[in-house]
Amino acid sequence: MALEKLEKKYFGTNGVRGVTGVDMTPVFALGIAEAFGTMLGEGKKVGIGRDTRTSGPALNAAVRAGLMACGCNVIDFGVVPTPCLQYLVLDHNLDGGVMITASHNPPEYNGIKIIEADGTEMGDERTIQLEQTMIQNKSVVSAWDKVGDCTEEPQARKLYIDSIVSQFPKDCGKGITVVVDPGNGPAAATSPEILRRLGCTVHTINAEFNGRFPGRLPEPSAEGLANLSATVVATGAAFGVAHDGDADRAIFVDENGTFMDGNITFALLASYFSGKYPGGVIVTPVSTSGIVEAVGKKYNCTTTYTVVGSIYVARTMRELLAKGEKVIIGGEGNGGIIYPRHQFCRDGGMSAATMLGFVSEKTSPLSKLIAELPSFTMYQEKRKTTRAKEIVAHMRKYFADFPIDERDGIRITRGGAWGLIRPSGTEPLVRVFTESQNPAEAKTLLNEILAEIKPYLE
Ligand code: MG
């Protein structure tokens, strides 16, 4: 897996990103679209969507052109969250999708995510094949009688909204006030509507499409959400929800406006579904807090760990389901949950609706429910090094007496603590995580690992 990741030239785990007019240009987007169209073949159907960035319309025109030139029929969904496009690819039985977005990156960026027919992001092997098609100029444009066409789907957002609303009890939001901050991104036209349709009173901020992002940056950081927090307190809302630039993630603040860590969010949302489907399987990367596993255990749910990256979570969920396992929820500690009864991708709108479902079944406010969760202390550090492989080899030997999980770096369990030593796939650095319910135990393990890797650092 790690080797395949290194072989990719343009694409990371979440598509390709670049600065508009520098490395993310219509010519580059055209090349990607032609390569994807060539891989799919003439007569195939491809959905496209974009976020609200200023460069979106220009890149959209290039992507349309490339796909049609290679014989694909394009359905343009317009400005939509990434999970909306993914849902429609699956729902409309399309052969693929192209999302034009730079997710949480600053306004000057844009990017492209390729979606497979099953609604998940393109995997490593096929992405390498796509890049090689580009690099070796192997794209094939069609003859005059095989060129594709383009239609629009004005119902795109409505279909996605309907599909989420149908997953929850009617009017479950009645009497509950929620504040939504879509950050001037595509969720401005979906998340407030989803929550309203579920019966909530919804207040919004930054809820107009605007690719200059005047309200806050596309990454929903604690500072960026100060306005959301204040509005939650002022309106007496049960919680506030914000999205990143393409709304595959949802970040929450509680009724006091306090920023919620993504691991806490995941634990709450996992407990909602664990309660509904006890004895199921939760899927999450090796870097996620043990709080999720602990919450699942209360309902006899087990947790399966994967390589870091939502695409690996989604694909593992599919594999486990194919084997007959009862997979109930997947997700990461960064605010994106995957609900397999709806679709196999991170979905910010679905996360917002799930939080509402959770709150609607409780009598206590969110802050109290969070305080009742088991308490874990996690440390996260990163160190510069070009010798990550040697570090992994050394740590494998050093922790030889303890259970080791090597699916992504080295994850060890010792007593009540776990530690993860994980080389970055994109930068010359190694990340170190430790966690325990006993803060001193987590700190001791952290210090020990940092001391052991010191000789290998820059
Ligand atoms: Mg995103």
Side-chain angles (χ1 to χ4, degrees):
M1 195 76 77
L3 268 178
E4 285 176 358
K5 268 193 212 170
L6 289 176
E7 283 173 24
K8 288 189 284 190
K9 189 170 185 294
Y10 304 122
F11 283 74
T13 32
N14 283 300
V16 54
R17 308 232 175 111
V19 174
T20 297
V22 180
D23 40 14
M24 180 49 67
T25 61
V27 171
F28 185 59
L30 179 76
I32 292 172
E34 284 185 342
F36 187 40
T38 299
M39 276 171 73
L40 290 173
E42 289 169 341
K44 294 291 163 59
K45 289 183 287 182
V46 185
I48 64 175
R50 64 179 177 90
D51 67 17
T52 58
R53 287 166 197 271
T54 54
S55 54
L59 295 175
N60 169 292
V63 168
R64 277 194 205 203
L67 288 167
M68 287 191 287
C70 294
C72 291
N73 295 317
V74 175
I75 305 169
D76 193 346
F77 296 122
V79 175
V80 290
T82 300
C84 174
L85 171 69
Q86 290 175 284
Y87 172 76
L88 292 169
V89 166
L90 204 56
D91 184 65
H92 285 31
N93 285 318
L94 304 185
D95 300 292
V98 179
M99 183 69 196
I100 299 156
T101 179
S103 187
H104 59 272
N105 285 56
E108 64 271 27
Y109 283 80
N110 212 334
I112 290 175
K113 283 185 193 180
I114 305 285
I115 310 301
E116 295 276 25
D118 66 2
T120 58
E121 281 166 49
M122 186 178 260
D124 292 331
E125 228 170 279
R126 296 250 301 154
T127 302
I128 291 165
Q129 194 191 336
L130 184 138
E131 288 190 346
Q132 286 306 314
T133 306
M134 281 175 78
I135 292 163
Q136 297 174 23
N137 285 320
K138 283 190 173 161
S139 294
V140 182
V141 293
S142 299
W144 70 274
D145 56 347
K146 295 279 169 33
V147 170
D149 60 15
C150 181
T151 52
E152 285 174 10
E153 168 59 280
Q155 296 294 311
R157 295 190 295 247
K158 184 183 177 297
L159 292 169
Y160 166 73
I161 291 167
D162 288 349
S163 73
I164 292 180
V165 169
S166 70
Q167 301 283 342
F168 294 88
K170 200 173 180 294
D171 286 333
C172 68
K174 224 173 180 179
I176 298 173
T177 300
V178 177
V179 184
V180 184
D181 175 359
N184 300 112
T190 52
S191 284
E193 182 65 13
I194 289 167
L195 296 168
R196 258 178 217 127
R197 291 261 311 271
L198 289 170
C200 286
T201 301
V202 178
H203 299 285
T204 58
I205 54 172
N206 306 320
E208 302 81 39
F209 291 165
N210 191 331
R212 297 180 189 280
F213 303 104
R216 62 168 173 86
L217 288 173
E219 172 65 31
S221 65
E223 302 98 50
L225 302 193
N227 199 0
L228 174 68
S229 295
T231 312
V232 164
V233 174
T235 57
F239 64 88
V241 56
H243 295 293
D244 70 326
D246 67 334
D248 56 349
R249 291 192 290 134
I251 300 291
F252 296 88
V253 301
D254 69 14
E255 83 284 1
N256 300 318
T258 305
F259 188 82
M260 280 167 59
D261 176 80
N263 283 297
I264 299 282
T265 301
F266 186 21
L268 295 177
L269 302 184
S271 80
Y272 177 76
F273 288 119
S274 301
K276 297 224 172 321
Y277 308 104
V281 180
I282 299 168
V283 182
T284 194
V286 286
S287 53
T288 297
S289 167
I291 193 170
V292 174
E293 186 172 337
V295 163
K297 264 188 193 152
K298 277 210 241 166
Y299 304 96
N300 276 331
C301 292
T302 54
T303 300
T304 295
Y305 291 96
T306 72
V307 173
V308 175
S310 65
I311 176 172
Y312 304 111
V313 176
R315 288 180 187 263
T316 303
M317 290 170 76
R318 274 190 180 281
E319 283 164 24
L320 293 173
L321 278 164
K323 282 186 203 159
E325 298 224 28
K326 218 173 94 183
V327 179
I328 51 170
I329 187 173
E332 300 177 298
N334 63 2
I337 65 149
I338 304 173
Y339 181 55
R341 282 163 194 266
H342 184 231
Q343 62 169 341
F344 288 87
C345 67
R346 288 190 304 192
D347 191 333
M350 186 72 203
S351 303
T354 306
M355 184 61 83
L356 176 68
F358 175 76
V359 167
S360 73
E361 291 182 358
K362 308 285 174 185
T363 46
S364 306
L366 256 183
S367 62
K368 187 142 184 280
L369 298 167
I370 292 167
E372 286 167 1
L373 289 171
S375 158
F376 281 77
T377 301
M378 189 194 264
Y379 292 101
Q380 297 186 40
E381 296 280 341
K382 57 184 177 189
R383 295 285 185 273
K384 276 196 175 166
T385 180
T386 50
R387 298 167 69 189
K389 266 190 190 163
E390 291 169 70
I391 290 178
V392 167
H394 175 69
M395 298 317 290
R396 185 184 295 124
K397 241 193 243 165
Y398 184 79
F399 287 114
D401 294 339
F402 300 96
I404 294 182
D405 181 331
E406 289 206 47
R407 78 196 72 209
D408 197 351
I410 295 262
R411 190 186 197 270
I412 64 109
T413 310
R414 189 175 74 180
W418 62 267
L420 174 68
I421 303 105
R422 183 177 171 262
S424 161
T426 49
E427 296 165 272
L429 52 87
V430 65
R431 293 177 202 280
V432 178
F433 299 70
T434 64
E435 188 184 52
S436 171
Q437 289 197 261
N438 173 352
E441 192 181 23
K443 188 81 188 180
T444 303
L445 184 59
L446 175 76
N447 290 338
E448 202 175 320
I449 294 171
L450 292 178
E452 283 302 315
I453 69 173
K454 205 167 179 195
Y456 301 93
L457 303 180
E458 308 262 287

